[in-house]
Amino acid sequence: MFIINCPYCGERDQTEFSCGGEAHIERPKQPTELSDDQWAEYLFMRKNIKGIQFERWNHIHGCRKWFNVVRDTSNDKIHAVYKMGERPPVK
Amino acid sequence: MSNNLRINKNNFIDHTVRISFKFNGKKLFGYKGDTLASALLANNIHLVGRSFKYHRPRGIMTCGSEEPNAIVQVGNDPALTDPNVRATEIELYEGLEAFSQNCWPSVNFDIGGINNLLSPLLPAGFYYKTFMWPASFWEKYEFFIRHSAGLGKSPTKPDQDLYDHQYVHCDVLVIGGGISGILSAKLSAEKGLNTMLIDDKNYLGGSTIYQDDDIFRIDNETSNVWLKNQIEELKKKPNLTIKNRTSVAAFHGYNYLLARENLTDHLSGNERKEKIRQRLLKIRAKKVVIATGAIERPLIFSNNDRPGIILSSSIKKYIDYYGVKTGESISLFTNNDSAYETAISLNKSGVKVKVIIDIRENSNSILSQKIEKTGIKILRGYTITNTDGYKRINSIEVMKLSKDGGSVVGNKITYKCDCLGISGGWTPMVHLFTQSGGKLKFRNNDNVFIPDENKTPSEQISVGSSNGDFELDDVINNTVKNIKIFLGLDKNNYENLDIKCSKEKQKRNIWLLPSNKPISKTKPFLDFQNDSTAKDVKLALREGFKSIEHVKRYTTTGMGTDQGKLSNMHALGIIADTTGTNMGELGTTTFRPPYTPLTFGAIVGRNVGEFFDHTRRTAIHDWHVENKAEFENVGQWKRPWYFPKNGETMYQAVQRESKAARESAGILDASTLGKIDIQGEDASEFLNRVYTNAWSKLSIGKCRYGLMLNEDGMVYDDGVTTRLGENHYIMTTTTGGAANVLSKLEDYLQTEWPELNVYLTTVTDQYSTMSICGPNSKKIIKKIIPSLDLSDESFPHMSFKNSKIDNVNCRIMRISFTGEHSYEINVQSNYAKDVWERCIEAGKEFNITPYGTETMHLLRAEKGFIITGQDTDGTLTPSDLQMDWIIGKKKYDFIGKRSLYRSDTIREDRKQLVGLLTDDPKEVLEEGAQLVESLEKPIDMLGHVTSSYFSPNLNKSIALAIVRSGKKLKGKKLIVPMENKNINVTITDTVFYDKENKRLNA
């Protein structure tokens, strides 16, 4: 059960948050111009890394803000937390 | 009461307080401070249960939480009885009643004992192998197998006890109140850190607190006296909390731990009343010190499971702590020095130690020298090959070990004894360390897995024997040294203590001791609770199981309620020996929480009954109750289901309500529908992107139905949204989808479209909604708000007006989910009941009929309106629902648009929504029933019924269904095969009633 440092509220228990899967998958600006394969890539394909992973989290039982988390899935260490729209910190 | 097994010599047991208890119906006595196990042993009762598979007689084997055999049923109250409780952990209280488990008719004569004779026929995997064939017989086998499975009896009535949860935050959590835990807690508290010390016993001090032999001295005091003084000082520390009778169950990441505190299990029935039984502590600690100690290993030899065979260190505790002799003539069997400590304690208490059998060729520690002086016979380089005695051990057979330990030589010697102490060395309790994600390393010289300090996942440290230190000086010195670094301490008083102790010098380990008989003729038990033997493990290896995890599951070794605390190391050792692998490479099985079993009560705490989940009630709920509504749970909401009158059945009530709504007027509490207030200059553009249809041109004061998709093109939610102002909308969602829709919209706003200036606020609870429908609805609204212009020109279908009822603002929408002329009144919730009652009063002359969700479902089904979640299941596109009209084809984009022409979503043979009419109009289909074209096998399933009702307005049965290629099958005959009959149906249009929508303006 991790402690997540919400960029808006500070450290809170994991039970206050929900995970929204892989981060930095931008919705295509012009979906109609994509082939089925390109759209499927956006829609379905997600990484499932053992190691450093970039994730979206939502402080759903708190400020309800979305933000990004850099987490090592092998040991649950959180290396960075940053707001939506910000660039991911360099590893 | 035979009390000749009691010796009066210590202050742990209060001999002035006699306690009576019952075991298997027999009244017995013990003293305050006893456990059930120590009291039974004092009464010379060793046989307490039968083993799981072979029903062999089993006795008390340990004195702690690792006990595999002495598990009992406590109490016989159907609500409070507690199965599988370890007799070694139950503190004796007045009136305690305990029963043996897994035996019938009694522990002394158990019919299941026949399994012991059949044991050659019951190898590992017996059930898997035997009950495979013929497959159709499984139903017959199952009954008998289920009957013989399981140990204790579950309570049959709801638990009346109170349980609690508590959050705990501390700087340092110390787990274990033995000498290393006491030292750690003391150093932490002296540094001024907020410290919590947890121990599962009712006293502190571990095994050192009763170690009074002068071989073990600290600063010129015997170790027990020294430690007692330390504990007295420790208890005075203001920044230290001590939790006794508390067991840490789980150690999760980020130093989050769960511990169960027993508050009343040691009290008599009267003292328990009104008190909380157990408390689950949810602990977040900055640093954790694991000082959980080690447990002694048994030795694996034939018939090592008889009552009277006890771990050597437990015999020592029974005599030194409880003052109970476990026998009159005790033999000891060991591979290390621990048994000598037991021999010294027994000798001092005047108990005859018959013989010590030590598998080592020699031993010359201080301990063994002291034993030699007492004249106790020691057989070095010997092993026990067999034991005898059915319900209690009465003799042992001893033979000399060969040099390599692989076999026995010479003649066998038989010794009589009524108790045998066994010691196979020590296993550090690394469970919590590995639960937290820590990795172990293997120490070859004494065969232990210990925490790898380089692979520790969080701010934690293991000290004492849980870290592999077994000698008193190592325990103290290493604990002090490591805690000093861990907590960043300066100099302290414990760094130069004068410690005297014995040091073990010789080691020898044989995982499976040899016998003069072939292994097939022996019974060397590994896992006492699950009755698996070394033979089973070897069989599993011969049958090709290699991984320790597979061997464990195949043989069930280590899968009892004790989780193999005693057996796992030997199973590993035997696998390593048999396969020629190094144990370190083999690794261990996974240690999973809980460390000891938790009650369900502790897990759920107060979240039972009405507190299990929130209950949401509308502002009009009380009126529904007064008017005898039956309620339906919709998510957390209580919604009126139907309003039976004069003993009507649900069917009768719904038929009446449905007719009234179409013939005159009906009223529905629709407050549970989700309501989201949408504001901001980009609100229209936002709606354009989330709904499939166009929103930019919706003028102020107008309402529009919208369908929301997932990005995969599947229908997600629907509802009517009203434009209240230039940049102001109110969106309604389904009752169940409200929270998710809000979250989804927020997600898009925050992450994909941050450029949109839009604010979302949930107002579901702030507004209540009542829907009045039927040809007389207009007259009723007119009576309530005479000033409101209700003409079709001023207030047409799909429009909205602000109004007032007295001084109360309300929003009135002319929208319809029934196909009738209808109005929805939205008011602030605290006025809702009053407005509702006015509607009822005003509607009296029109026989206004309150209706619930069932009638609502029926009326909308007559009109072919879908209910998302009932007619849809996340696999249907708007086109599948025959709702192509709602897709804004000219719109550049909306959520899910691109998915609507993926190769899969444009297939024509997708499942599609259709209407169904039964050939027999009286026949009502079952929702969920399958649809097929022909009954010829193999039968092709074409789809299923999603909604089905008897329509009183059409006087026939109607249904909605999803059917493969359904759109093309209009008029086609299908069959609904049921258990007793086949029902013929015809595919129709989805709209059954008022296809021209004339009634909307009626």
Side-chain angles (χ1 to χ4, degrees):
Chain A
M1 195 83 81
F2 5 127
I3 290 174
I4 298 173
N5 188 8
C6 169
Y8 303 92
C9 305
E11 288 189 346
R12 294 290 191 279
D13 196 278
Q14 186 189 341
T15 49
E16 294 186 15
F17 298 86
S18 71
C19 182
E22 194 182 337
H24 303 295
I25 296 179
E26 206 177 328
R27 188 174 189 274
K29 289 274 178 282
Q30 295 171 320
T32 47
E33 286 165 27
L34 300 183
S35 68
D36 268 13
D37 284 349
Q38 286 168 321
W39 180 246
E41 184 68 29
Y42 158 72
L43 196 56
F44 301 121
M45 296 315 198
R46 297 293 181 271
K47 293 191 194 102
N48 187 10
I49 299 164
K50 182 179 181 184
I52 301 286
Q53 182 160 288
F54 294 77
E55 297 172 337
R56 287 155 24 94
W57 282 79
N58 184 214
H59 195 184
I60 187 116
H61 300 298
C63 64
R64 295 184 69 87
K65 282 284 196 185
W66 283 92
F67 54 92
N68 296 310
V69 168
V70 184
R71 182 172 69 102
D72 188 331
T73 58
S74 68
N75 59 17
D76 285 338
K77 273 210 179 80
I78 292 175
H79 293 281
V81 170
Y82 55 102
K83 294 179 180 177
M84 279 294 158
E86 289 178 0
R87 284 180 170 279
V90 184
K91 267 183 254 175
Chain B
M1 172 177 172
S2 86
N3 236 342
N4 54 350
L5 291 167
R6 280 276 180 195
I7 52 167
N8 279 308
K9 73 159 213 179
N10 64 50
N11 40 23
F12 299 110
I13 301 299
D14 185 350
H15 286 255
T16 63
V17 183
R18 231 165 74 121
I19 293 174
S20 70
F21 68 101
K22 278 186 181 172
F23 183 65
N24 287 333
K26 191 176 171 197
K27 192 162 183 184
L28 301 164
F29 295 95
Y31 294 112
K32 192 169 180 345
D34 264 327
T35 60
L36 175 60
S38 69
L40 288 171
L41 290 170
N43 285 282
N44 203 19
I45 294 172
H46 278 253
L47 171 62
V48 288
R50 291 280 177 154
S51 69
F52 182 51
K53 192 167 157 190
Y54 304 126
H55 292 252
R56 284 169 67 99
R58 290 282 166 81
I60 295 156
M61 201 182 166
T62 73
C63 58
S65 64
E66 69 271 32
E67 177 61 39
N69 288 338
I71 52 177
V72 297
Q73 184 97 25
V74 177
N76 54 7
D77 182 298
L80 301 173
T81 183
D82 216 353
N84 301 336
V85 192
R86 292 160 298 283
T88 51
E89 290 197 306
I90 304 166
E91 292 178 45
L92 207 62
Y93 55 82
E94 188 62 38
L96 167 71
E97 269 195 273
F99 303 89
S100 296
Q101 298 185 160
N102 208 37
C103 52
W104 185 85
S106 80
V107 72
N108 273 305
F109 178 74
D110 175 20
I111 294 281
I114 190 101
N115 279 9
N116 189 34
L117 302 175
L118 299 176
S119 65
L121 304 174
L122 296 170
F126 168 74
Y127 289 86
Y128 301 138
K129 290 166 183 163
T130 310
F131 299 105
M132 289 281 292
W133 41 258
S136 59
F137 264 50
W138 170 247
E139 285 176 20
K140 295 182 177 65
Y141 297 139
E142 191 185 12
F143 177 81
F144 293 99
I145 292 174
R146 294 240 183 270
H147 259 247
S148 59
L151 287 169
K153 290 189 204 90
S154 302
T156 50
K157 290 201 171 147
D159 193 348
Q160 296 150 11
D161 278 320
L162 270 181
Y163 301 84
D164 227 347
H165 285 180
Q166 185 182 0
Y167 289 94
V168 175
H169 296 267
C170 57
D171 294 326
V172 179
L173 175 71
V174 180
I175 310 163
I179 188 164
S180 56
I182 298 290
L183 279 172
S184 304
K186 201 130 182 280
L187 288 168
S188 168
E190 278 168 6
K191 164 93 173 167
L193 298 166
N194 169 17
T195 307
M196 176 175 268
L197 173 64
I198 286 184
D199 192 271
D200 60 355
K201 305 281 193 311
N202 60 356
Y203 66 93
L204 290 176
S207 59
T208 312
I209 204 69
Y210 52 89
Q211 180 53 275
D212 60 356
D213 195 85
D214 59 11
I215 290 176
F216 301 93
R217 296 183 76 81
I218 306 167
D219 276 0
N220 277 326
E221 288 172 313
T222 55
S223 58
N224 63 327
V225 173
W226 184 86
L227 184 60
K228 190 162 178 269
N229 293 334
Q230 295 299 319
I231 293 170
E232 290 313 312
E233 282 178 36
L234 183 70
K235 284 180 174 167
K236 292 179 198 144
K237 302 282 175 205
N239 51 334
L240 175 87
T241 313
I242 297 172
K243 291 277 186 192
N244 275 119
R245 299 188 176 100
T246 303
S247 169
V248 174
F251 189 165
H252 296 292
Y254 288 67
N255 283 352
Y256 181 69
L257 299 97
L258 297 175
R260 184 246 306 125
E261 184 180 15
N262 269 339
L263 296 163
T264 64
D265 280 359
H266 60 291
L267 300 176
S268 67
N270 278 338
E271 295 167 305
R272 289 182 188 199
K273 278 192 182 131
E274 313 279 307
K275 293 198 178 104
I276 292 160
R277 183 187 174 204
Q278 295 178 340
R279 185 180 283 142
L280 190 73
L281 306 175
K282 302 176 171 184
I283 308 165
R284 191 71 85 162
K286 291 197 181 115
K287 290 173 183 253
V288 177
V289 179
I290 299 178
T292 45
I295 56 175
E296 199 169 26
R297 295 175 186 168
L299 288 163
I300 311 303
F301 53 98
S302 189
N303 290 313
N304 58 346
D305 65 326
R306 299 195 188 283
I309 299 180
I310 304 177
L311 294 181
S312 146
S313 62
S314 298
I315 294 177
K316 177 173 159 52
K317 183 169 182 184
Y318 284 118
I319 197 89
D320 284 348
Y321 185 91
Y322 298 105
V324 173
K325 296 188 265 185
T326 51
E328 299 286 8
S329 169
I330 299 178
S331 296
L332 296 167
F333 183 24
T334 189
N335 69 1
N336 69 94
D337 276 0
S338 307
Y340 297 157
E341 286 184 48
T342 306
I344 288 168
S345 289
L346 290 171
N347 196 49
K348 265 198 249 176
S349 303
V351 182
K352 188 172 165 51
V353 178
K354 195 118 186 191
V355 60
I356 299 176
I357 299 119
D358 193 331
I359 71 167
R360 296 173 299 175
E361 297 285 347
N362 56 63
S363 161
N364 56 2
S365 63
I366 296 172
L367 269 168
S368 59
Q369 285 160 10
K370 183 158 180 171
I371 287 293
E372 279 160 17
K373 281 183 204 149
T374 64
I376 295 172
K377 188 179 175 71
I378 305 177
L379 290 175
R380 298 194 200 276
Y382 277 76
T383 185
I384 295 180
T385 52
N386 200 5
T387 68
D388 205 2
Y390 186 56
K391 289 177 197 165
R392 174 86 180 260
I393 187 169
N394 59 31
S395 67
I396 52 175
E397 290 172 11
V398 178
M399 289 180 82
K400 180 126 185 79
L401 278 165
S402 65
K403 265 272 174 281
D404 67 356
S407 59
V408 284
V409 294
N411 296 323
K412 80 180 173 200
I413 320 162
T414 303
Y415 289 93
K416 296 260 176 230
C417 61
D418 61 357
C419 176
L420 173 68
I422 52 175
S423 177
W426 293 84
T427 301
M429 286 294 94
V430 294
H431 296 61
L432 295 176
F433 172 77
T434 54
Q435 278 182 25
S436 77
K439 297 279 181 275
L440 300 173
K441 61 184 180 187
F442 189 67
R443 195 165 71 193
N444 279 305
N445 73 327
D446 57 353
N447 295 293
V448 289
F449 282 100
I450 52 173
D452 185 339
E453 65 277 13
N454 297 318
K455 290 175 181 167
T456 301
S458 62
E459 284 280 314
Q460 59 168 293
I461 190 171
S462 294
V463 295
S465 55
S466 62
N467 196 37
D469 289 331
F470 298 125
E471 308 287 13
L472 186 65
D473 53 350
D474 295 338
V475 167
I476 294 175
N477 291 334
N478 289 339
T479 299
V480 171
K481 186 180 82 192
N482 293 332
I483 289 288
K484 189 177 166 186
I485 300 166
F486 183 59
L487 298 181
L489 307 177
D490 302 327
K491 272 189 80 66
N492 62 69
N493 298 331
Y494 303 104
E495 287 178 83
N496 293 305
L497 293 173
D498 176 22
I499 304 164
K500 295 199 167 56
C501 62
S502 173
K503 299 284 262 187
E504 186 171 278
K505 291 176 181 163
Q506 286 80 19
K507 295 187 189 301
R508 188 182 195 186
N509 187 55
I510 301 169
W511 292 113
L512 174 58
L513 291 155
S515 164
N516 54 335
K517 290 183 195 153
I519 186 169
S520 60
K521 303 269 188 234
T522 64
K523 286 214 173 68
F525 282 92
L526 271 182
D527 183 326
F528 297 84
Q529 196 174 103
N530 272 351
D531 263 359
S532 63
T533 66
K535 287 191 290 187
D536 293 319
V537 169
K538 288 190 170 246
L539 175 69
L541 293 170
R542 281 203 304 279
E543 291 186 358
F545 292 93
K546 295 242 158 52
S547 149
I548 169 68
E549 297 282 4
H550 292 156
V551 173
K552 166 182 161 174
R553 281 156 183 79
Y554 190 55
T555 62
T556 72
T557 303
M559 291 176 71
T561 60
D562 59 339
Q563 293 270 289
K565 293 188 181 74
L566 292 185
S567 58
N568 283 348
M569 283 305 293
H570 297 88
L572 284 170
I574 290 167
I575 294 170
D577 282 354
T578 311
T579 59
T581 327
N582 177 290
M583 279 182 77
E585 286 164 32
L586 203 60
T588 64
T589 53
T590 310
F591 297 94
R592 292 194 180 84
Y595 177 71
T596 50
L598 280 176
T599 57
F600 282 111
I603 293 168
V604 298
R606 301 278 172 129
N607 303 322
V608 291
E610 62 176 313
F611 300 116
F612 179 70
D613 197 7
H614 299 274
T615 302
R616 300 176 79 182
R617 298 178 183 86
T618 73
I620 310 163
H621 185 85
D622 288 349
W623 189 93
H624 304 321
V625 173
E626 283 159 29
N627 287 274
K628 310 274 185 303
E630 290 291 330
F631 288 91
E632 180 184 25
N633 294 327
V634 182
Q636 293 169 329
W637 286 103
K638 294 275 174 206
R639 295 196 72 177
W641 195 8
Y642 57 98
F643 291 83
K645 265 188 181 174
N646 311 322
E648 281 175 329
T649 61
M650 170 162 148
Y651 176 81
Q652 290 164 337
V654 169
Q655 296 290 306
R656 171 181 52 77
E657 290 169 14
S658 302
K659 264 184 108 63
R662 295 230 186 270
E663 285 170 5
S664 178
I667 182 165
L668 171 81
D669 181 358
S671 307
T672 63
L673 290 178
K675 301 178 233 8
I676 301 172
D677 185 273
I678 302 173
Q679 300 196 40
E681 61 190 27
D682 298 314
S684 304
E685 170 61 16
F686 177 67
L687 289 172
N688 251 336
R689 297 187 191 183
V690 300
Y691 278 131
T692 61
N693 44 349
W695 288 78
S696 334
K697 286 178 188 155
L698 185 73
S699 49
I700 296 169
K702 290 282 189 282
C703 316
R704 183 164 288 174
Y705 173 77
L707 207 54
M708 204 180 285
L709 310 184
N710 266 327
E711 207 68 273
D712 62 6
M714 304 303 155
V715 172
Y716 179 68
D717 204 80
D718 66 345
V720 170
T721 296
T722 303
R723 189 165 194 178
L724 302 173
E726 176 65 26
N727 297 322
H728 190 186
Y729 291 83
I730 181 111
M731 170 188 280
T732 51
T733 73
T734 58
T735 298
N740 291 336
V741 168
L742 181 69
S743 293
K744 180 183 156 98
L745 299 184
E746 268 295 336
D747 187 354
Y748 275 92
L749 271 181
Q750 288 181 32
T751 65
E752 298 293 353
W753 307 322
E755 73 279 7
L756 294 185
N757 182 5
V758 176
Y759 297 89
L760 306 177
T761 311
T762 172
V763 291
T764 305
D765 292 300
Q766 283 71 17
Y767 287 98
S768 292
T769 307
M770 47 214 91
S771 170
I772 301 173
C773 74
N776 286 319
S777 57
K778 193 175 185 173
K779 291 175 198 156
I780 294 168
I781 297 290
K782 190 83 203 163
K783 273 179 77 177
I784 300 167
I785 320 173
S787 59
L788 197 62
D789 182 356
L790 294 174
S791 66
D792 282 345
E793 299 70 41
S794 163
F795 201 174
H797 181 56
M798 295 308 266
S799 66
F800 136 87
K801 276 180 190 284
N802 274 316
S803 184
K804 276 183 191 243
I805 300 175
D806 287 350
N807 285 322
V808 178
N809 288 322
C810 58
R811 290 172 181 160
I812 303 189
M813 281 90 168
R814 194 174 155 195
I815 53 181
S816 174
F817 192 43
T818 59
E820 295 299 315
H821 189 128
S822 1
Y823 299 90
E824 267 188 25
I825 306 175
N826 288 271
V827 291
Q828 212 176 295
S829 284
N830 44 351
Y831 297 108
K833 189 164 173 256
D834 179 65
V835 172
W836 174 275
E837 282 165 348
R838 286 184 192 215
C839 295
I840 297 287
E841 188 57 36
K844 251 184 191 161
E845 60 177 298
F846 308 105
N847 183 32
I848 191 167
T849 301
Y851 64 92
T853 50
E854 195 60 24
T855 293
M856 173 185 84
H857 287 179
L858 191 160
L859 294 172
R860 64 87 207 181
E862 289 178 338
K863 288 291 297 172
F865 295 148
I866 58 156
I867 289 187
T868 55
Q870 173 159 347
D871 302 297
T872 72
D873 57 3
T875 67
L876 298 172
T877 66
S879 180
D880 296 338
L881 294 168
Q882 308 218 37
M883 291 172 78
D884 302 77
W885 54 269
I886 204 167
I887 297 169
K889 301 224 166 44
K890 289 183 199 147
K891 277 169 69 174
Y892 183 71
D893 192 15
F894 54 82
I895 296 172
K897 171 159 185 172
R898 175 61 186 83
S899 291
L900 295 180
Y901 52 95
R902 288 177 53 235
S903 56
D904 188 58
T905 45
I906 54 174
R907 275 191 299 117
E908 290 192 354
D909 62 346
R910 291 178 61 81
K911 287 192 176 170
Q912 291 147 353
L913 188 78
V914 296
L916 289 181
L917 287 174
T918 46
D919 288 5
D920 173 2
K922 294 269 178 264
E923 185 77 65
V924 181
L925 298 170
E926 262 183 49
E927 287 172 358
Q930 293 291 316
L931 288 155
V932 304
E933 193 172 354
S934 105
L935 294 170
E936 228 157 275
K937 290 180 187 174
I939 301 178
D940 194 12
M941 304 291 179
L942 297 179
H944 67 272
V945 178
T946 59
S947 296
S948 173
Y949 310 89
F950 186 82
S951 161
N953 300 302
L954 296 159
N955 200 25
K956 66 182 176 191
S957 157
I958 56 166
L960 296 171
I962 55 169
V963 175
R964 196 193 309 151
S965 305
K967 282 196 236 178
K968 287 193 296 194
L969 298 179
K970 202 164 158 186
K972 177 136 183 115
K973 297 261 184 202
L974 293 179
I975 305 166
V976 178
M978 299 303 291
E979 206 173 351
N980 306 320
K981 59 184 168 187
N982 299 313
I983 304 166
N984 295 313
V985 297
T986 307
I987 292 185
T988 66
D989 191 16
T990 53
V991 185
F992 301 98
Y993 187 79
D994 184 28
K995 287 185 205 258
E996 301 81 25
N997 291 328
K998 284 183 185 154
R999 303 185 62 86
L1000 281 174
N1001 295 313

